[in-house]
Each structure stands twice: as structure tokens, then as C-alpha cells.
């Protein structure tokens, strides 16, 4: 079956531009996560959705970052007024269940990522 | 605070030899532990996980990992390495007692290089 897909795969933005990154999770997956992976580092959590509800946005680095999942399926991560420090790979992951408590044992399935370069 | 340490940036091993990629973790409660592999220009692929029970967990592609609670470790192992195993490996943890927390906490990754 289809896995998690992300688009675009590569994005070059000039500093100050707004960007929108799209994630299509695995069909039927309740949970959706966004992570940021800087060069040479492991992924770092940005935000989490359970269906359409954004339950945790504690990892968003600034108010320039905004994510939505209006119908509980596709999600968009938007970065306003991009800065050079925003350059990273943005990973989306989905999971079958809520991920909370005992459901945290379920693995997350990752998309290929969007590599954002801010010049 | 939860954290994961992968003390080796790179592990080099000859094809056919056993391999170990080290991981230690820190959580306030009991952990769920995961290993993922990342190939160039591709997303992370799930390898295996420890939930409860047997400390030795078997996963995809012949990999296994051993949970050691006293040493707070979850080292990834394979009896006989293949050149195709060369990739970037990430260990990740989630605190099962954290009802609100859902994110995986990742280590910084270990590059495995298998030579022929």
C-alpha cells in the first residue's frame, strides 16, 4: 500500500518568503507528526495531530511556524518569513492510533521528507 | 527530560562480521524503544521496537536489539553484516508513562559503513 508522501521533495526559498509543505499520511492513520531534521542531527519533534486536532505544538520553534490538518487527513506545515536557520529536512510521520499512553508502542511511519533550503 | 545518546558517530565493519550500534536512553518512567534506518534521500524506515517482555527483540532484515534496563541501553545488533546495511541508524525513545507526550525522542544517529 501507499506510504506517507510529502511534497515538494525539495524547496528553495529566499529569506523572507513564505513556504507551505504538504504531507499525505497513510490512509486511516489517526496520528500525524511533523519533525525537523537539521544536517547531521536526528529528527526533532515539531507538532502532533490526532485526527484534525492539534494536541501538541510544543516543538514549533517560533510563531512563524504553523501547521494544520483541517479534515484529519492531509496536513500542511507553513513557515512564514523564512530564515536561514529554517533550512532543514522536514519529516512527516503517521501512526495508526493516538500515540498516547499505551498506544505509544505503535511505530510511526515516515515520509521521504521535504528538504528546505533558505538562501 | 527524555534523551537518547548514540555515542558513536560512525561504525565500520567488514561484511560478514557481526555489528553493534550502541544506544543509551534516559526517561523518567519505563520506555518504549525504537530503531529506525535512513537511506540517502529517503525517509526513516522502522526496524524494530521494544515494548515489554523478552529483552531480545528481532526485527527487519535480520537485525535484533537487546534491552538492558539496568544499563538503560538498547543496542542494535546483527550477526553478519551486509554491504547493503550501510546507512544511518537512529535510536528513539518514548516514555510510556507520559500520557500526553507522543513524540519520539531521537538520538543524533550513527552511520554504519560495511566494507566488502
Amino acid at each position: 500500500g501507499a506510504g506517507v508522501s510529502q511534497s515538494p521533495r525539495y524547496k528553495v526559498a529566499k529569506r523572507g518568503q513564505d513556504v507551505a509543505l504538504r504531507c499525505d499520511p497513510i490512509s486511516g492513520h489517526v496520528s500525524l507528526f511533523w519533525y525537523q531534521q537539521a544536517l547531521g542531527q536526528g529528527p526533532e519533534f515539531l507538532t502532533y495531530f490526532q485526527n484534525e486536532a492539534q494536541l501538541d505544538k510544543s516543538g514549533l520553534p517560533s510563531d512563524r511556524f504553523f501547521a494544520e490538518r483541517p479534515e484529519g487527513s492531509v496536513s500542511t506545515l507553513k513557515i512564514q518569513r523564512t530564515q536561514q536557520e529554517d533550512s532543514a529536512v522536514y519529516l512527516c510521520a503517521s501512526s495508526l492510533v493516538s500515540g498516547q499512553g499505551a498506544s505509544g508502542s505503535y511505530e510511526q511511519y515516515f515520509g521521504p521528507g521535504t528538504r528546505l533550503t533558505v538562501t | 527530560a527524555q534523551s537518547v545518546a548514540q555515542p558513536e558517530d560512525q561504525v565500520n565493519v567488514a561484511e560478514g562480521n557481526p555489528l553493534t550500534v550502541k544506544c543509551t536512553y534516559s526517561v523518567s518512567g519505563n520506555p518504549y524503544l525504537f530503531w529506525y534506518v535512513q537511506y540517502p534521500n529517503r525517509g526513516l524506515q522502522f526496524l524494530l521496537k521494544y515494548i515489554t517482555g523478552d529483552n531480545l527483540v528481532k526485527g527487519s532484515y535480520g537485525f535484533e536489539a537487546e534491552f538492558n534496563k539496568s544499563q538503560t541501553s538498547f543496542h542494535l545488533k546483527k550477526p553478519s553484516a551486509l554491504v547493503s546495511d550501510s546507512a544511518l541508524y537512529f535510536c528513539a525513545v518514548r516514555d510510556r508513562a507520559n500520557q500526553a507526550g507522543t513524540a519520539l525522542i531521537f538520538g543524533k544517529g550513527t552511520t554504519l559503513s560495511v566494507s566488502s
Side-chain angles (χ1 to χ4, degrees), chain A residues 18-19 46 54 57-67 77-83 85-86:
Chain A
D18 297 349
V19 297
L46 292 176
Q54 189 176 20
K57 52 182 181 179
S58 61
L60 295 176
S62 78
D63 59 7
R64 296 186 295 104
F65 287 70
F66 172 77
L77 176 66
K78 297 179 180 179
I79 308 174
Q80 297 176 324
R81 304 180 304 281
T82 52
Q83 303 295 315
E85 61 263 29
D86 300 334

PDB file of all heavy atoms in Angstrom, chain A residues 18-19 46 54 57-67 77-83 85-86:
ATOM      1  N   ASP A  18       7.382  32.993   2.307  1.00  0.00           N
ATOM      2  CA  ASP A  18       6.565  32.006   2.997  1.00  0.00           C
ATOM      3  C   ASP A  18       6.615  30.689   2.216  1.00  0.00           C
ATOM      4  O   ASP A  18       6.655  30.689   0.990  1.00  0.00           O
ATOM      5  CB  ASP A  18       5.115  32.467   3.085  1.00  0.00           C
ATOM      6  CG  ASP A  18       4.948  33.742   3.888  1.00  0.00           C
ATOM      7  OD1 ASP A  18       5.922  34.171   4.566  1.00  0.00           O
ATOM      8  OD2 ASP A  18       3.849  34.327   3.831  1.00  0.00           O
ATOM      9  N   VAL A  19       6.591  29.568   2.930  1.00  0.00           N
ATOM     10  CA  VAL A  19       6.560  28.260   2.267  1.00  0.00           C
ATOM     11  C   VAL A  19       5.468  27.392   2.890  1.00  0.00           C
ATOM     12  O   VAL A  19       5.093  27.589   4.050  1.00  0.00           O
ATOM     13  CB  VAL A  19       7.913  27.524   2.365  1.00  0.00           C
ATOM     14  CG1 VAL A  19       9.006  28.308   1.655  1.00  0.00           C
ATOM     15  CG2 VAL A  19       8.282  27.222   3.795  1.00  0.00           C
ATOM     16  N   LEU A  46       8.176  18.621  16.129  1.00  0.00           N
ATOM     17  CA  LEU A  46       7.593  19.950  15.969  1.00  0.00           C
ATOM     18  C   LEU A  46       6.164  19.994  16.518  1.00  0.00           C
ATOM     19  O   LEU A  46       5.848  20.797  17.383  1.00  0.00           O
ATOM     20  CB  LEU A  46       7.577  20.353  14.489  1.00  0.00           C
ATOM     21  CG  LEU A  46       8.930  20.601  13.828  1.00  0.00           C
ATOM     22  CD1 LEU A  46       8.737  20.888  12.347  1.00  0.00           C
ATOM     23  CD2 LEU A  46       9.682  21.731  14.508  1.00  0.00           C
ATOM     24  N   GLN A  54      -4.945  19.564  16.804  1.00  0.00           N
ATOM     25  CA  GLN A  54      -3.522  19.723  17.084  1.00  0.00           C
ATOM     26  C   GLN A  54      -3.344  19.667  18.593  1.00  0.00           C
ATOM     27  O   GLN A  54      -3.632  20.635  19.303  1.00  0.00           O
ATOM     28  CB  GLN A  54      -3.022  21.052  16.510  1.00  0.00           C
ATOM     29  CG  GLN A  54      -1.515  21.221  16.569  1.00  0.00           C
ATOM     30  CD  GLN A  54      -1.044  22.507  15.896  1.00  0.00           C
ATOM     31  OE1 GLN A  54      -1.813  23.433  15.714  1.00  0.00           O
ATOM     32  NE2 GLN A  54       0.232  22.565  15.518  1.00  0.00           N
ATOM     33  N   LYS A  57       1.890  21.283  20.144  1.00  0.00           N
ATOM     34  CA  LYS A  57       2.712  22.098  19.241  1.00  0.00           C
ATOM     35  C   LYS A  57       3.908  22.668  19.982  1.00  0.00           C
ATOM     36  O   LYS A  57       4.456  23.701  19.594  1.00  0.00           O
ATOM     37  CB  LYS A  57       1.887  23.198  18.589  1.00  0.00           C
ATOM     38  CG  LYS A  57       1.094  24.074  19.522  1.00  0.00           C
ATOM     39  CD  LYS A  57       0.295  25.093  18.714  1.00  0.00           C
ATOM     40  CE  LYS A  57      -0.512  26.011  19.607  1.00  0.00           C
ATOM     41  NZ  LYS A  57      -1.282  27.024  18.818  1.00  0.00           N
ATOM     42  N   SER A  58       4.328  21.947  20.998  1.00  0.00           N
ATOM     43  CA  SER A  58       5.394  22.432  21.861  1.00  0.00           C
ATOM     44  C   SER A  58       6.745  22.516  21.168  1.00  0.00           C
ATOM     45  O   SER A  58       7.637  23.228  21.626  1.00  0.00           O
ATOM     46  CB  SER A  58       5.517  21.534  23.091  1.00  0.00           C
ATOM     47  OG  SER A  58       5.841  20.209  22.706  1.00  0.00           O
ATOM     48  N   GLY A  59       6.915  21.805  20.065  1.00  0.00           N
ATOM     49  CA  GLY A  59       8.197  21.804  19.377  1.00  0.00           C
ATOM     50  C   GLY A  59       8.336  22.861  18.304  1.00  0.00           C
ATOM     51  O   GLY A  59       9.435  23.035  17.753  1.00  0.00           O
ATOM     52  N   LEU A  60       7.288  23.573  17.998  1.00  0.00           N
ATOM     53  CA  LEU A  60       7.382  24.609  16.966  1.00  0.00           C
ATOM     54  C   LEU A  60       8.334  25.693  17.460  1.00  0.00           C
ATOM     55  O   LEU A  60       8.136  26.263  18.529  1.00  0.00           O
ATOM     56  CB  LEU A  60       6.013  25.186  16.661  1.00  0.00           C
ATOM     57  CG  LEU A  60       5.009  24.216  16.032  1.00  0.00           C
ATOM     58  CD1 LEU A  60       3.641  24.867  15.857  1.00  0.00           C
ATOM     59  CD2 LEU A  60       5.518  23.689  14.694  1.00  0.00           C
ATOM     60  N   PRO A  61       9.372  26.017  16.671  1.00  0.00           N
ATOM     61  CA  PRO A  61      10.427  26.896  17.181  1.00  0.00           C
ATOM     62  C   PRO A  61      10.026  28.359  17.303  1.00  0.00           C
ATOM     63  O   PRO A  61      10.668  29.086  18.076  1.00  0.00           O
ATOM     64  CB  PRO A  61      11.557  26.709  16.167  1.00  0.00           C
ATOM     65  CG  PRO A  61      10.897  26.226  14.922  1.00  0.00           C
ATOM     66  CD  PRO A  61       9.711  25.451  15.336  1.00  0.00           C
ATOM     67  N   SER A  62       9.047  28.790  16.573  1.00  0.00           N
ATOM     68  CA  SER A  62       8.620  30.190  16.686  1.00  0.00           C
ATOM     69  C   SER A  62       7.216  30.321  16.136  1.00  0.00           C
ATOM     70  O   SER A  62       6.659  29.377  15.562  1.00  0.00           O
ATOM     71  CB  SER A  62       9.584  31.089  15.909  1.00  0.00           C
ATOM     72  OG  SER A  62       9.315  31.023  14.514  1.00  0.00           O
ATOM     73  N   ASP A  63       6.644  31.493  16.321  1.00  0.00           N
ATOM     74  CA  ASP A  63       5.279  31.716  15.820  1.00  0.00           C
ATOM     75  C   ASP A  63       5.252  31.881  14.301  1.00  0.00           C
ATOM     76  O   ASP A  63       4.178  32.097  13.723  1.00  0.00           O
ATOM     77  CB  ASP A  63       4.630  32.905  16.526  1.00  0.00           C
ATOM     78  CG  ASP A  63       5.407  34.195  16.347  1.00  0.00           C
ATOM     79  OD1 ASP A  63       6.374  34.205  15.562  1.00  0.00           O
ATOM     80  OD2 ASP A  63       5.050  35.181  16.985  1.00  0.00           O
ATOM     81  N   ARG A  64       6.411  31.758  13.669  1.00  0.00           N
ATOM     82  CA  ARG A  64       6.416  31.763  12.201  1.00  0.00           C
ATOM     83  C   ARG A  64       6.000  30.393  11.637  1.00  0.00           C
ATOM     84  O   ARG A  64       5.698  30.269  10.464  1.00  0.00           O
ATOM     85  CB  ARG A  64       7.813  32.116  11.682  1.00  0.00           C
ATOM     86  CG  ARG A  64       8.275  33.513  12.039  1.00  0.00           C
ATOM     87  CD  ARG A  64       9.598  33.864  11.372  1.00  0.00           C
ATOM     88  NE  ARG A  64      10.704  33.012  11.853  1.00  0.00           N
ATOM     89  CZ  ARG A  64      11.224  32.002  11.169  1.00  0.00           C
ATOM     90  NH1 ARG A  64      10.753  31.689   9.952  1.00  0.00           N
ATOM     91  NH2 ARG A  64      12.221  31.303  11.679  1.00  0.00           N
ATOM     92  N   PHE A  65       6.001  29.407  12.509  1.00  0.00           N
ATOM     93  CA  PHE A  65       5.655  28.044  12.109  1.00  0.00           C
ATOM     94  C   PHE A  65       4.197  27.767  12.475  1.00  0.00           C
ATOM     95  O   PHE A  65       3.767  28.001  13.614  1.00  0.00           O
ATOM     96  CB  PHE A  65       6.557  27.018  12.811  1.00  0.00           C
ATOM     97  CG  PHE A  65       7.959  26.979  12.292  1.00  0.00           C
ATOM     98  CD1 PHE A  65       8.839  28.022  12.525  1.00  0.00           C
ATOM     99  CD2 PHE A  65       8.408  25.889  11.565  1.00  0.00           C
ATOM    100  CE1 PHE A  65      10.146  27.987  12.037  1.00  0.00           C
ATOM    101  CE2 PHE A  65       9.708  25.834  11.075  1.00  0.00           C
ATOM    102  CZ  PHE A  65      10.571  26.894  11.318  1.00  0.00           C
ATOM    103  N   PHE A  66       3.480  27.225  11.512  1.00  0.00           N
ATOM    104  CA  PHE A  66       2.062  26.955  11.700  1.00  0.00           C
ATOM    105  C   PHE A  66       1.712  25.666  10.971  1.00  0.00           C
ATOM    106  O   PHE A  66       2.152  25.444   9.847  1.00  0.00           O
ATOM    107  CB  PHE A  66       1.247  28.125  11.146  1.00  0.00           C
ATOM    108  CG  PHE A  66      -0.229  27.887  11.097  1.00  0.00           C
ATOM    109  CD1 PHE A  66      -0.986  27.972  12.257  1.00  0.00           C
ATOM    110  CD2 PHE A  66      -0.860  27.587   9.906  1.00  0.00           C
ATOM    111  CE1 PHE A  66      -2.351  27.751  12.217  1.00  0.00           C
ATOM    112  CE2 PHE A  66      -2.227  27.364   9.855  1.00  0.00           C
ATOM    113  CZ  PHE A  66      -2.974  27.448  11.010  1.00  0.00           C
ATOM    114  N   ALA A  67       0.936  24.804  11.603  1.00  0.00           N
ATOM    115  CA  ALA A  67       0.544  23.552  10.966  1.00  0.00           C
ATOM    116  C   ALA A  67      -0.953  23.363  11.094  1.00  0.00           C
ATOM    117  O   ALA A  67      -1.575  23.820  12.051  1.00  0.00           O
ATOM    118  CB  ALA A  67       1.278  22.370  11.591  1.00  0.00           C
ATOM    119  N   LEU A  77       2.375  22.133   6.723  1.00  0.00           N
ATOM    120  CA  LEU A  77       3.242  22.891   7.612  1.00  0.00           C
ATOM    121  C   LEU A  77       3.628  24.167   6.873  1.00  0.00           C
ATOM    122  O   LEU A  77       4.172  24.108   5.770  1.00  0.00           O
ATOM    123  CB  LEU A  77       4.490  22.090   7.968  1.00  0.00           C
ATOM    124  CG  LEU A  77       5.540  22.802   8.818  1.00  0.00           C
ATOM    125  CD1 LEU A  77       5.005  23.095  10.215  1.00  0.00           C
ATOM    126  CD2 LEU A  77       6.815  21.970   8.909  1.00  0.00           C
ATOM    127  N   LYS A  78       3.325  25.284   7.481  1.00  0.00           N
ATOM    128  CA  LYS A  78       3.608  26.569   6.847  1.00  0.00           C
ATOM    129  C   LYS A  78       4.664  27.312   7.658  1.00  0.00           C
ATOM    130  O   LYS A  78       4.598  27.338   8.889  1.00  0.00           O
ATOM    131  CB  LYS A  78       2.336  27.399   6.753  1.00  0.00           C
ATOM    132  CG  LYS A  78       1.261  26.766   5.878  1.00  0.00           C
ATOM    133  CD  LYS A  78      -0.006  27.620   5.817  1.00  0.00           C
ATOM    134  CE  LYS A  78      -1.061  26.961   4.923  1.00  0.00           C
ATOM    135  NZ  LYS A  78      -2.322  27.765   4.873  1.00  0.00           N
ATOM    136  N   ILE A  79       5.606  27.861   6.959  1.00  0.00           N
ATOM    137  CA  ILE A  79       6.649  28.672   7.598  1.00  0.00           C
ATOM    138  C   ILE A  79       6.583  30.056   6.966  1.00  0.00           C
ATOM    139  O   ILE A  79       6.728  30.207   5.752  1.00  0.00           O
ATOM    140  CB  ILE A  79       8.044  28.067   7.411  1.00  0.00           C
ATOM    141  CG1 ILE A  79       8.054  26.585   7.836  1.00  0.00           C
ATOM    142  CG2 ILE A  79       9.069  28.848   8.231  1.00  0.00           C
ATOM    143  CD1 ILE A  79       9.369  25.870   7.535  1.00  0.00           C
ATOM    144  N   GLN A  80       6.359  31.037   7.801  1.00  0.00           N
ATOM    145  CA  GLN A  80       6.271  32.414   7.316  1.00  0.00           C
ATOM    146  C   GLN A  80       7.624  33.105   7.474  1.00  0.00           C
ATOM    147  O   GLN A  80       8.385  32.812   8.406  1.00  0.00           O
ATOM    148  CB  GLN A  80       5.202  33.173   8.097  1.00  0.00           C
ATOM    149  CG  GLN A  80       3.799  32.592   7.920  1.00  0.00           C
ATOM    150  CD  GLN A  80       2.769  33.308   8.779  1.00  0.00           C
ATOM    151  OE1 GLN A  80       3.055  33.717   9.899  1.00  0.00           O
ATOM    152  NE2 GLN A  80       1.562  33.463   8.247  1.00  0.00           N
ATOM    153  N   ARG A  81       7.896  34.004   6.550  1.00  0.00           N
ATOM    154  CA  ARG A  81       9.105  34.838   6.633  1.00  0.00           C
ATOM    155  C   ARG A  81      10.329  33.960   6.944  1.00  0.00           C
ATOM    156  O   ARG A  81      11.015  34.139   7.955  1.00  0.00           O
ATOM    157  CB  ARG A  81       8.938  35.918   7.696  1.00  0.00           C
ATOM    158  CG  ARG A  81       7.707  36.801   7.491  1.00  0.00           C
ATOM    159  CD  ARG A  81       7.571  37.867   8.562  1.00  0.00           C
ATOM    160  NE  ARG A  81       7.529  37.333   9.917  1.00  0.00           N
ATOM    161  CZ  ARG A  81       6.476  36.787  10.484  1.00  0.00           C
ATOM    162  NH1 ARG A  81       5.345  36.673   9.819  1.00  0.00           N
ATOM    163  NH2 ARG A  81       6.553  36.344  11.733  1.00  0.00           N
ATOM    164  N   THR A  82      10.606  33.032   6.041  1.00  0.00           N
ATOM    165  CA  THR A  82      11.658  32.049   6.293  1.00  0.00           C
ATOM    166  C   THR A  82      12.991  32.716   6.591  1.00  0.00           C
ATOM    167  O   THR A  82      13.330  33.775   6.041  1.00  0.00           O
ATOM    168  CB  THR A  82      11.820  31.101   5.090  1.00  0.00           C
ATOM    169  OG1 THR A  82      11.994  31.879   3.893  1.00  0.00           O
ATOM    170  CG2 THR A  82      10.619  30.194   4.937  1.00  0.00           C
ATOM    171  N   GLN A  83      13.738  32.064   7.466  1.00  0.00           N
ATOM    172  CA  GLN A  83      15.077  32.480   7.856  1.00  0.00           C
ATOM    173  C   GLN A  83      16.053  31.360   7.493  1.00  0.00           C
ATOM    174  O   GLN A  83      15.660  30.201   7.324  1.00  0.00           O
ATOM    175  CB  GLN A  83      15.122  32.751   9.356  1.00  0.00           C
ATOM    176  CG  GLN A  83      14.124  33.795   9.827  1.00  0.00           C
ATOM    177  CD  GLN A  83      14.421  35.172   9.258  1.00  0.00           C
ATOM    178  OE1 GLN A  83      15.567  35.608   9.245  1.00  0.00           O
ATOM    179  NE2 GLN A  83      13.400  35.856   8.776  1.00  0.00           N
ATOM    180  N   GLU A  85      18.090  29.812   9.294  1.00  0.00           N
ATOM    181  CA  GLU A  85      18.112  28.733  10.291  1.00  0.00           C
ATOM    182  C   GLU A  85      16.961  27.752  10.120  1.00  0.00           C
ATOM    183  O   GLU A  85      16.935  26.704  10.770  1.00  0.00           O
ATOM    184  CB  GLU A  85      18.101  29.295  11.725  1.00  0.00           C
ATOM    185  CG  GLU A  85      16.882  30.117  12.071  1.00  0.00           C
ATOM    186  CD  GLU A  85      17.125  31.604  11.913  1.00  0.00           C
ATOM    187  OE1 GLU A  85      17.965  31.988  11.064  1.00  0.00           O
ATOM    188  OE2 GLU A  85      16.466  32.374  12.624  1.00  0.00           O
ATOM    189  N   ASP A  86      16.003  28.094   9.241  1.00  0.00           N
ATOM    190  CA  ASP A  86      14.909  27.160   8.968  1.00  0.00           C
ATOM    191  C   ASP A  86      15.323  26.070   7.982  1.00  0.00           C
ATOM    192  O   ASP A  86      14.572  25.107   7.770  1.00  0.00           O
ATOM    193  CB  ASP A  86      13.693  27.899   8.391  1.00  0.00           C
ATOM    194  CG  ASP A  86      13.141  28.964   9.318  1.00  0.00           C
ATOM    195  OD1 ASP A  86      13.341  28.833  10.553  1.00  0.00           O
ATOM    196  OD2 ASP A  86      12.534  29.931   8.816  1.00  0.00           O
TER     197      ASP A  86
END
